[in-house]
Amino acid sequence: MADLSIDFVGIRSPNPFWLASAPPTDKEINVVRAFEAGWGGVVWKTVGEDPNVVNVHGPRYAVSYAADRRVTGFNNIELISDRPLRTNLDEMARVKRNWPDRAVVASIMVPCTEEAWKNILPMVEDTGCDGIELNFGCPHGMSERGMGAAVGQVPEYIQMVAEWCKHYSKLPVIVKLTPNVADIRPAARAAKKGGADAVSLINTINSIMGVDLDAMAMFPHTDGKGSHGGYCGPGAKPIALHMVAEIARDPQTAGLPISGIGGVSTWRDAAEFIALGSGSVQVCTAAMVYGFKIVQDLCDGLSNFMDQKGYANIEQMRGRAVGSITDWQQLNLNHVDKAVIHQDLCIQCGRCHVVCEDTSHQAISATKDGMRFFEVKEEECVGCNLCVSICPVPGALSMRTLKAGEMDTRTGHPVVGKYANWTTHPNNPMRADSHA
């Protein structure tokens, strides 16, 4: 059976699943229940200076739904912990003492001054926690006070605070990054320059979840007024995976440990984050939607997958997919795919025909011999994958790669079994040999 235990920058836990800093990790009672359910670790909900912050006494959460009422996205306007600092620290110490085999990481957010970090770090370290996570990602409420994402959007601040933390604390330092930037790499590079042991990402994305069209007011609101919140959940996963991969494949940050966060709801989600370089995986929305026991499915599923693939431990699969990601101009322009409809599985719903006819390349016919019958017209198919993506029957549509020498009936040219990309393409006026 695969070994799920991890050693993430010296922080050990029996499995890679940590609850992210959020309401589920705000109190001892929650964290104990999580550990009893099987979570490998927690990042304690962000603590700050006293007097503690004040949350709104109205809606803090909102969700977006799929047609079947499944939660596809989650939004919150929660601030950091609104309990006294001492209360959090005492509970953190007690939890770590009673659960020594589980990871307890303290998330911290204080004003961007050396004195503030110097003051809080010894108090946090005294709890016996395993590491600290610098919350440079929260996009609402605290950022307007010069903290959270306001720091995470300025690489110089990230490096400066990371240096302070490494100077005043012996604990591993994890910098939690904000996705509300154009390019995640400068922030990660700054964290590394500052001596951070790892980065975690992503925090939540600036968002407004909806508008009440009767009241003509954003939803949710407090006493008639609303504010943007932080978006997370399954809808955030593709953005998170992209940013994790950018850091994993950036020569300047390659090898920097990553704790992956963003829409992890299943073992497969977690495996994808690990395949792109994450050494641990943090979860929040799925726990808030399904409860703490979801970790049992996460562990069982990941363990079974690793057994099937022959991975003995997390490290053997970590980062395996990073090398598959490249820039667009490096893609093989001589590669040709065509869609294939498997008639034995096709239910004749016609969705592939409709979307291809209306929005793509008119490459699927709808009738044959006067009967309803869907078939790919290879002479029109560009291999865009839209029909495969929207088909409601798994396996009824797939992509076929043309072999070298096989005729591409759309272009009228045989497939060239040789790699060639945009940097040398004859149509590229900036190609490498264009000025030769």
Side-chain angles (χ1 to χ4, degrees), residues 180-195:
N180 299 300
V181 292
D183 185 346
I184 197 68
R185 292 172 297 180
R189 292 168 184 165
K192 186 177 181 182
K193 286 180 183 175

mmCIF file with all atom_site columns, all heavy atoms in Angstrom, residues 180-195:
data_model
loop_
_atom_site.group_PDB
_atom_site.id
_atom_site.type_symbol
_atom_site.label_atom_id
_atom_site.label_alt_id
_atom_site.label_comp_id
_atom_site.label_asym_id
_atom_site.label_entity_id
_atom_site.label_seq_id
_atom_site.pdbx_PDB_ins_code
_atom_site.Cartn_x
_atom_site.Cartn_y
_atom_site.Cartn_z
_atom_site.occupancy
_atom_site.B_iso_or_equiv
_atom_site.pdbx_formal_charge
_atom_site.auth_seq_id
_atom_site.auth_comp_id
_atom_site.auth_asym_id
_atom_site.auth_atom_id
_atom_site.pdbx_PDB_model_num
ATOM 1   N N   . ASN A 1 180 ? -4.154 37.335 -7.390  1.00 0.00 ? 180 ASN A N   1
ATOM 2   C CA  . ASN A 1 180 ? -4.610 38.600 -7.969  1.00 0.00 ? 180 ASN A CA  1
ATOM 3   C C   . ASN A 1 180 ? -3.437 39.436 -8.474  1.00 0.00 ? 180 ASN A C   1
ATOM 4   O O   . ASN A 1 180 ? -3.236 40.601 -8.094  1.00 0.00 ? 180 ASN A O   1
ATOM 5   C CB  . ASN A 1 180 ? -5.432 39.368 -6.928  1.00 0.00 ? 180 ASN A CB  1
ATOM 6   C CG  . ASN A 1 180 ? -6.663 38.588 -6.509  1.00 0.00 ? 180 ASN A CG  1
ATOM 7   O OD1 . ASN A 1 180 ? -7.515 38.268 -7.337  1.00 0.00 ? 180 ASN A OD1 1
ATOM 8   N ND2 . ASN A 1 180 ? -6.744 38.249 -5.243  1.00 0.00 ? 180 ASN A ND2 1
ATOM 9   N N   . VAL A 1 181 ? -2.659 38.803 -9.339  1.00 0.00 ? 181 VAL A N   1
ATOM 10  C CA  . VAL A 1 181 ? -1.511 39.431 -9.989  1.00 0.00 ? 181 VAL A CA  1
ATOM 11  C C   . VAL A 1 181 ? -1.480 38.958 -11.437 1.00 0.00 ? 181 VAL A C   1
ATOM 12  O O   . VAL A 1 181 ? -2.091 37.943 -11.789 1.00 0.00 ? 181 VAL A O   1
ATOM 13  C CB  . VAL A 1 181 ? -0.179 39.053 -9.295  1.00 0.00 ? 181 VAL A CB  1
ATOM 14  C CG1 . VAL A 1 181 ? -0.096 39.663 -7.907  1.00 0.00 ? 181 VAL A CG1 1
ATOM 15  C CG2 . VAL A 1 181 ? -0.015 37.542 -9.227  1.00 0.00 ? 181 VAL A CG2 1
ATOM 16  N N   . ALA A 1 182 ? -0.775 39.693 -12.284 1.00 0.00 ? 182 ALA A N   1
ATOM 17  C CA  . ALA A 1 182 ? -0.691 39.306 -13.691 1.00 0.00 ? 182 ALA A CA  1
ATOM 18  C C   . ALA A 1 182 ? 0.206  38.090 -13.888 1.00 0.00 ? 182 ALA A C   1
ATOM 19  O O   . ALA A 1 182 ? -0.025 37.267 -14.774 1.00 0.00 ? 182 ALA A O   1
ATOM 20  C CB  . ALA A 1 182 ? -0.179 40.482 -14.526 1.00 0.00 ? 182 ALA A CB  1
ATOM 21  N N   . ASP A 1 183 ? 1.230  37.970 -13.075 1.00 0.00 ? 183 ASP A N   1
ATOM 22  C CA  . ASP A 1 183 ? 2.208  36.891 -13.220 1.00 0.00 ? 183 ASP A CA  1
ATOM 23  C C   . ASP A 1 183 ? 2.639  36.468 -11.820 1.00 0.00 ? 183 ASP A C   1
ATOM 24  O O   . ASP A 1 183 ? 3.114  37.288 -11.030 1.00 0.00 ? 183 ASP A O   1
ATOM 25  C CB  . ASP A 1 183 ? 3.407  37.402 -14.029 1.00 0.00 ? 183 ASP A CB  1
ATOM 26  C CG  . ASP A 1 183 ? 4.430  36.305 -14.338 1.00 0.00 ? 183 ASP A CG  1
ATOM 27  O OD1 . ASP A 1 183 ? 4.365  35.235 -13.718 1.00 0.00 ? 183 ASP A OD1 1
ATOM 28  O OD2 . ASP A 1 183 ? 5.295  36.547 -15.201 1.00 0.00 ? 183 ASP A OD2 1
ATOM 29  N N   . ILE A 1 184 ? 2.458  35.195 -11.513 1.00 0.00 ? 184 ILE A N   1
ATOM 30  C CA  . ILE A 1 184 ? 2.738  34.718 -10.157 1.00 0.00 ? 184 ILE A CA  1
ATOM 31  C C   . ILE A 1 184 ? 4.233  34.565 -9.896  1.00 0.00 ? 184 ILE A C   1
ATOM 32  O O   . ILE A 1 184 ? 4.684  34.526 -8.744  1.00 0.00 ? 184 ILE A O   1
ATOM 33  C CB  . ILE A 1 184 ? 2.026  33.359 -9.924  1.00 0.00 ? 184 ILE A CB  1
ATOM 34  C CG1 . ILE A 1 184 ? 1.935  33.024 -8.431  1.00 0.00 ? 184 ILE A CG1 1
ATOM 35  C CG2 . ILE A 1 184 ? 2.718  32.236 -10.693 1.00 0.00 ? 184 ILE A CG2 1
ATOM 36  C CD1 . ILE A 1 184 ? 1.017  33.913 -7.651  1.00 0.00 ? 184 ILE A CD1 1
ATOM 37  N N   . ARG A 1 185 ? 5.038  34.511 -10.948 1.00 0.00 ? 185 ARG A N   1
ATOM 38  C CA  . ARG A 1 185 ? 6.454  34.174 -10.765 1.00 0.00 ? 185 ARG A CA  1
ATOM 39  C C   . ARG A 1 185 ? 7.253  35.217 -9.992  1.00 0.00 ? 185 ARG A C   1
ATOM 40  O O   . ARG A 1 185 ? 8.072  34.847 -9.143  1.00 0.00 ? 185 ARG A O   1
ATOM 41  C CB  . ARG A 1 185 ? 7.093  33.900 -12.129 1.00 0.00 ? 185 ARG A CB  1
ATOM 42  C CG  . ARG A 1 185 ? 6.567  32.619 -12.788 1.00 0.00 ? 185 ARG A CG  1
ATOM 43  C CD  . ARG A 1 185 ? 7.073  32.467 -14.200 1.00 0.00 ? 185 ARG A CD  1
ATOM 44  N NE  . ARG A 1 185 ? 6.590  33.552 -15.060 1.00 0.00 ? 185 ARG A NE  1
ATOM 45  C CZ  . ARG A 1 185 ? 6.881  33.664 -16.341 1.00 0.00 ? 185 ARG A CZ  1
ATOM 46  N NH1 . ARG A 1 185 ? 7.645  32.763 -16.919 1.00 0.00 ? 185 ARG A NH1 1
ATOM 47  N NH2 . ARG A 1 185 ? 6.410  34.663 -17.055 1.00 0.00 ? 185 ARG A NH2 1
ATOM 48  N N   . PRO A 1 186 ? 7.070  36.515 -10.239 1.00 0.00 ? 186 PRO A N   1
ATOM 49  C CA  . PRO A 1 186 ? 7.842  37.481 -9.441  1.00 0.00 ? 186 PRO A CA  1
ATOM 50  C C   . PRO A 1 186 ? 7.600  37.341 -7.936  1.00 0.00 ? 186 PRO A C   1
ATOM 51  O O   . PRO A 1 186 ? 8.530  37.503 -7.135  1.00 0.00 ? 186 PRO A O   1
ATOM 52  C CB  . PRO A 1 186 ? 7.358  38.832 -9.972  1.00 0.00 ? 186 PRO A CB  1
ATOM 53  C CG  . PRO A 1 186 ? 6.947  38.555 -11.376 1.00 0.00 ? 186 PRO A CG  1
ATOM 54  C CD  . PRO A 1 186 ? 6.329  37.189 -11.325 1.00 0.00 ? 186 PRO A CD  1
ATOM 55  N N   . ALA A 1 187 ? 6.375  37.039 -7.549  1.00 0.00 ? 187 ALA A N   1
ATOM 56  C CA  . ALA A 1 187 ? 6.084  36.876 -6.123  1.00 0.00 ? 187 ALA A CA  1
ATOM 57  C C   . ALA A 1 187 ? 6.806  35.656 -5.552  1.00 0.00 ? 187 ALA A C   1
ATOM 58  O O   . ALA A 1 187 ? 7.370  35.700 -4.454  1.00 0.00 ? 187 ALA A O   1
ATOM 59  C CB  . ALA A 1 187 ? 4.581  36.757 -5.913  1.00 0.00 ? 187 ALA A CB  1
ATOM 60  N N   . ALA A 1 188 ? 6.781  34.564 -6.304  1.00 0.00 ? 188 ALA A N   1
ATOM 61  C CA  . ALA A 1 188 ? 7.461  33.349 -5.835  1.00 0.00 ? 188 ALA A CA  1
ATOM 62  C C   . ALA A 1 188 ? 8.975  33.547 -5.785  1.00 0.00 ? 188 ALA A C   1
ATOM 63  O O   . ALA A 1 188 ? 9.643  33.091 -4.845  1.00 0.00 ? 188 ALA A O   1
ATOM 64  C CB  . ALA A 1 188 ? 7.112  32.177 -6.756  1.00 0.00 ? 188 ALA A CB  1
ATOM 65  N N   . ARG A 1 189 ? 9.498  34.246 -6.788  1.00 0.00 ? 189 ARG A N   1
ATOM 66  C CA  . ARG A 1 189 ? 10.941 34.515 -6.782  1.00 0.00 ? 189 ARG A CA  1
ATOM 67  C C   . ARG A 1 189 ? 11.320 35.369 -5.581  1.00 0.00 ? 189 ARG A C   1
ATOM 68  O O   . ARG A 1 189 ? 12.367 35.151 -4.944  1.00 0.00 ? 189 ARG A O   1
ATOM 69  C CB  . ARG A 1 189 ? 11.332 35.231 -8.074  1.00 0.00 ? 189 ARG A CB  1
ATOM 70  C CG  . ARG A 1 189 ? 11.207 34.385 -9.329  1.00 0.00 ? 189 ARG A CG  1
ATOM 71  C CD  . ARG A 1 189 ? 11.314 35.230 -10.578 1.00 0.00 ? 189 ARG A CD  1
ATOM 72  N NE  . ARG A 1 189 ? 11.102 34.467 -11.809 1.00 0.00 ? 189 ARG A NE  1
ATOM 73  C CZ  . ARG A 1 189 ? 10.867 35.012 -12.985 1.00 0.00 ? 189 ARG A CZ  1
ATOM 74  N NH1 . ARG A 1 189 ? 10.819 36.329 -13.120 1.00 0.00 ? 189 ARG A NH1 1
ATOM 75  N NH2 . ARG A 1 189 ? 10.682 34.252 -14.055 1.00 0.00 ? 189 ARG A NH2 1
ATOM 76  N N   . ALA A 1 190 ? 10.470 36.338 -5.256  1.00 0.00 ? 190 ALA A N   1
ATOM 77  C CA  . ALA A 1 190 ? 10.751 37.206 -4.114  1.00 0.00 ? 190 ALA A CA  1
ATOM 78  C C   . ALA A 1 190 ? 10.742 36.411 -2.810  1.00 0.00 ? 190 ALA A C   1
ATOM 79  O O   . ALA A 1 190 ? 11.563 36.631 -1.922  1.00 0.00 ? 190 ALA A O   1
ATOM 80  C CB  . ALA A 1 190 ? 9.729  38.335 -4.060  1.00 0.00 ? 190 ALA A CB  1
ATOM 81  N N   . ALA A 1 191 ? 9.791  35.490 -2.707  1.00 0.00 ? 191 ALA A N   1
ATOM 82  C CA  . ALA A 1 191 ? 9.739  34.655 -1.500  1.00 0.00 ? 191 ALA A CA  1
ATOM 83  C C   . ALA A 1 191 ? 11.020 33.850 -1.356  1.00 0.00 ? 191 ALA A C   1
ATOM 84  O O   . ALA A 1 191 ? 11.596 33.743 -0.261  1.00 0.00 ? 191 ALA A O   1
ATOM 85  C CB  . ALA A 1 191 ? 8.530  33.737 -1.574  1.00 0.00 ? 191 ALA A CB  1
ATOM 86  N N   . LYS A 1 192 ? 11.470 33.298 -2.463  1.00 0.00 ? 192 LYS A N   1
ATOM 87  C CA  . LYS A 1 192 ? 12.700 32.504 -2.419  1.00 0.00 ? 192 LYS A CA  1
ATOM 88  C C   . LYS A 1 192 ? 13.895 33.381 -2.062  1.00 0.00 ? 192 LYS A C   1
ATOM 89  O O   . LYS A 1 192 ? 14.742 32.991 -1.250  1.00 0.00 ? 192 LYS A O   1
ATOM 90  C CB  . LYS A 1 192 ? 12.923 31.827 -3.770  1.00 0.00 ? 192 LYS A CB  1
ATOM 91  C CG  . LYS A 1 192 ? 14.109 30.873 -3.774  1.00 0.00 ? 192 LYS A CG  1
ATOM 92  C CD  . LYS A 1 192 ? 14.246 30.174 -5.115  1.00 0.00 ? 192 LYS A CD  1
ATOM 93  C CE  . LYS A 1 192 ? 15.436 29.202 -5.095  1.00 0.00 ? 192 LYS A CE  1
ATOM 94  N NZ  . LYS A 1 192 ? 15.615 28.544 -6.402  1.00 0.00 ? 192 LYS A NZ  1
ATOM 95  N N   . LYS A 1 193 ? 13.970 34.573 -2.656  1.00 0.00 ? 193 LYS A N   1
ATOM 96  C CA  . LYS A 1 193 ? 15.074 35.477 -2.347  1.00 0.00 ? 193 LYS A CA  1
ATOM 97  C C   . LYS A 1 193 ? 15.070 35.865 -0.869  1.00 0.00 ? 193 LYS A C   1
ATOM 98  O O   . LYS A 1 193 ? 16.125 36.105 -0.276  1.00 0.00 ? 193 LYS A O   1
ATOM 99  C CB  . LYS A 1 193 ? 14.983 36.733 -3.213  1.00 0.00 ? 193 LYS A CB  1
ATOM 100 C CG  . LYS A 1 193 ? 15.380 36.529 -4.659  1.00 0.00 ? 193 LYS A CG  1
ATOM 101 C CD  . LYS A 1 193 ? 15.260 37.831 -5.444  1.00 0.00 ? 193 LYS A CD  1
ATOM 102 C CE  . LYS A 1 193 ? 15.593 37.619 -6.915  1.00 0.00 ? 193 LYS A CE  1
ATOM 103 N NZ  . LYS A 1 193 ? 15.373 38.853 -7.714  1.00 0.00 ? 193 LYS A NZ  1
ATOM 104 N N   . GLY A 1 194 ? 13.865 35.962 -0.304  1.00 0.00 ? 194 GLY A N   1
ATOM 105 C CA  . GLY A 1 194 ? 13.755 36.317 1.101   1.00 0.00 ? 194 GLY A CA  1
ATOM 106 C C   . GLY A 1 194 ? 14.083 35.176 2.044   1.00 0.00 ? 194 GLY A C   1
ATOM 107 O O   . GLY A 1 194 ? 14.058 35.355 3.265   1.00 0.00 ? 194 GLY A O   1
ATOM 108 N N   . GLY A 1 195 ? 14.354 34.019 1.476   1.00 0.00 ? 195 GLY A N   1
ATOM 109 C CA  . GLY A 1 195 ? 14.733 32.883 2.311   1.00 0.00 ? 195 GLY A CA  1
ATOM 110 C C   . GLY A 1 195 ? 13.588 31.975 2.698   1.00 0.00 ? 195 GLY A C   1
ATOM 111 O O   . GLY A 1 195 ? 13.781 31.058 3.509   1.00 0.00 ? 195 GLY A O   1
#
